[in-house]
Structures are given as structure tokens and as C-alpha cells.
Amino acid sequence: MSSFAAEKAINIVKEAEKRIKYKFEEIDDICEYNTFKVLSAMQNHRLSLRHFNESTGYAYDDEGREITEKIYAEVFGGEAALVRPQIVSGTHAISLMLYGVLRPGDILLSITGDPYDTIRSTIGINDNGENLGSLKDYNVDYDKVDLKDGGEIDFDEVKKKLSDKVKAVFIQRSSGYTDAKALSIRKIEEACKFVKGIKKDVIVLVDNCYGEFLEKKEPLEVGADLIAGSLIKNPGGGLVSVGGYIIGSSENIKKVASRLTAPGIALEVGANLGVIRSYLQGLFMASKVTSGAIKGAILAASVFESIGYRVFPGVDDERSDIIQAVVLGSREKVCAYCEGIQEAAPVDSYVTPEPWDMPGYDQVIMAAGNFIEGSSIELSADAPMKEPYIVYQQGGLTYEHSKIGTIKALDKILKLDEVR
């Protein structure tokens, strides 16, 4: 590895790794628990080789599709699930969830501040003057409660805004491009109990992207009504090439499915196109892959904290997503960090990432030499090109790859500091 990076970078990472080994036992315990949960669901539904058969066209009575959705529902604690290759991204899954339960005149209340950039377009709060079928265009109103300093939910403000017209409360589990902490299951449970204690019939929606298998419970098990996410993140285990999921009550899933297909059709059609094997094998591997990604995130925190950079979460902070943020303070360092992650990639390692105006975002730089385009459970790093220049690292199909990526990113930063 010495030809890959300077000895100084390698030694810093090795020392940082020694300091965090005590954290790995708890992560391994969660991994073991979740692996057993997934295995049990597959056995309970008598998963068989015949379920991997490809379906086409309308795909009526598709056994593989049906068994997959039953397994996902059990694993995540829901009554029903929509798990389809026709869902093109996490943003699409979350949008389907919102459109499925909201109607004109309803209010959507986000209690974790404005959501991730791409969801703002769905809601209609982007400043581009184009609603283009957004919730706003359908006369669904939006309100929010910003998180308090330190990332806590402001329950006093939530209580003030929970009017009769609030149909759904939205919770974003991951921190997104902010310095807030990801919401733990404990905090999501607290939020669910609070809002339902005030308005029993409110629907709690959780953007679960990046948070699956971080803990022993999922949001549906602590009071959420619907969760949504991408299959090319945690639950796909790095094996799934396309798709998303929405899971929750049977009534709500039927509404969401009617939005994906059509009323009267709902869950009953949709060709699996041969993805069932990867959906279930990926789910089987997801706990192990996610645990490696978390270990890699903690390592990155330990490394960059040790050389004086602010990181969040910190090494000992509670974690509920796979993302590690490092405050680098300059455009030049953000680019250097991303170049290091890209050079450590198995695919397109020779490419130099450049900032660009990515659809749905402000100008960002993204490093991702992945087998599956956009797969954030694979090692990647990205950053909005604005102050205070924070880079967000996530993923890694193995802990070892995350470690190599961190070494390479550190090497780039150290060399940049030496030049200065």
C-alpha cells in the first residue's frame, strides 16, 4: 500500500484505527441481530428458487414480486410493501409516498427543517419558479419546523404548527447536506409519540435513506406510518442495480401503489424484470455491508479529527446514518478529498471529479467510482461547493475499501497542506 499513499497518511490511519476498535463490537452485535431478522423473514415466507424467475408485461400473479414485498414488510416492521424496479430513485420513492397520502388542501409539516435538496422540488419550495406537478401545484401546502441547535426537534414549535389541516408529518432521518445529527430510532420514537399524542390521525412519514440497519429497530417499529428509501443504498447490499421501496400499513401502501401504477391496479401488476434475486440477496447482505460502511465512517472521523479538522458525527456520537462529514474549509481541499476517494475506486479511478450543476442540487462535486451508478452504499464522497466546504463521505462495500479510500483522501489533504 505504500506505493498508493505516503507513509505518513498510512501511519495516521493505522493509529486512528487502533483508537476505534472498541466501537466495532457493538456494530457487529447489531449486524448479527439484523442478519438473523432478515434470514428469519426469508424462512418464514418459504423463499424458494422458483421465486427468482423473471416476469414481463403486466406480470399478474408474480410470485417473486409478491414474496419479495412480504419479506421486506416483515424485515422493516410493516404490514405491506412496495418494492419495485419501476421506482427510479430514493427521491422517487419519497415522492410516491407523499403523493400517495396527501390531497389538495392538506398541509405537509416537516419537523426536521427543509428536506434534502431533491425533495424540495417535489414539494415545490425550490426558488426556480417551476412547479411542474409538485405538491404545491396540486394545492398541497407545506410548513416546517427547523431543528434546534444541536439537531434536536423543536417540540414546542411542532405543537404550535400541528393544525387540523396537517395531514402528514415528515421526518428526514439522515442529516443531508447539513451539520445536524442524523435522527436515531430513539428520537424518531419520541417524535412519533409526541405528534400522535396531539393529533392521533396524523400520518408520520420517514425518509429512511442511509439509515437502514444502523440499529436493531426501524422507524415503523416505533410509530411511523410509512418509510421510503432507495435500494441502491443500504438495503440493496451493493448488489441491487435499480429500484426503491415504500413500506407501511396496507391501506397507505395501496394508496401509494395506486400512484405508481393506477387506481384499481395498485400492487397487482409490475414486471420484476429479473431483479428479484438481487433484491433478496442484496437484502441478505445488507446488514454486513452496512456495518462495514459504519466502521469506515467512524475511521474517517477518527483520522480527520486527529489532525485538527472538525467532523460530525464525532467518534463517540450516536449514529443513525452511514454519512461522515468533514469540515475542510476550502474549495481546494474539498476537490482534493474527492479526488482521493475517486482514485481509490475500482471503477473510473483515473477520472478527476469536477464540480457541476447536478439536476436537483446546487453546484456539487461527487466522487463515485462505483459498479452501480449512484450507489451510495458503495464508497463515495460529495460536497456542495459553498462555505464552510464540508465533504460528506459514505459507503464502502467492505470496511477495507473504506479504509483505503480514507488513506487516499488523507494523503491528498496532507500533500496540499505541505505545499502551503
Side-chain angles (χ1 to χ4, degrees), residues 74-85:
E74 180 174 328
V75 167
F76 287 93
E79 294 177 352
L82 188 64
V83 185
R84 304 290 173 98

Side-chain angles (χ1 to χ4, degrees), residues 50 57 104 128 148 171 209 243 297 339 368 388 395 408:
R50 74 176 188 277
N128 57 13
K148 296 194 289 189
I171 296 172
C209 282
E339 286 172 16
K408 193 64 179 174

Side-chain angles (χ1 to χ4, degrees), residues 75-109:
V75 167
F76 287 93
E79 294 177 352
L82 188 64
V83 185
R84 304 290 173 98
Q86 289 82 12
I87 301 173
V88 302
S89 67
T91 296
H92 187 199
I94 296 159
S95 297
L96 285 169
M97 177 173 70
L98 296 173
Y99 283 111
V101 301
L102 293 166
R103 300 292 181 266
D106 290 341
I107 295 175
L108 171 67
L109 176 64

Side-chain angles (χ1 to χ4, degrees), residues 16 28 105 125 131 134 148 204 206 221 244 257 362 377 412:
D28 289 340
I125 56 175
N131 290 328
S134 68
K148 296 194 289 189
V204 178
V206 179
E221 298 173 271
D362 294 324
I377 192 60
K412 291 281 186 180

Side-chain angles (χ1 to χ4, degrees), residues 94-109 115 119-125 130-143 168 170 205 259:
I94 296 159
S95 297
L96 285 169
M97 177 173 70
L98 296 173
Y99 283 111
V101 301
L102 293 166
R103 300 292 181 266
D106 290 341
I107 295 175
L108 171 67
L109 176 64
I119 302 302
R120 296 178 195 178
S121 296
T122 295
I123 294 169
I125 56 175
E130 296 181 359
N131 290 328
L132 297 176
S134 68
L135 291 173
K136 182 179 179 180
D137 203 24
Y138 283 88
N139 295 317
V140 174
D141 291 327
Y142 168 77
D143 202 355
F170 183 79
L205 312 173
R259 177 74 192 199

Side-chain angles (χ1 to χ4, degrees), residues 115 148 196 198 254 265 268 274 278 295 329 342 356 360 398:
K148 296 194 289 189
K196 288 180 178 289
I198 298 170
K254 189 172 183 180
I265 297 175
E268 303 304 320
S278 67
K295 291 175 183 178
Q342 190 73 38
W356 66 303
T398 66

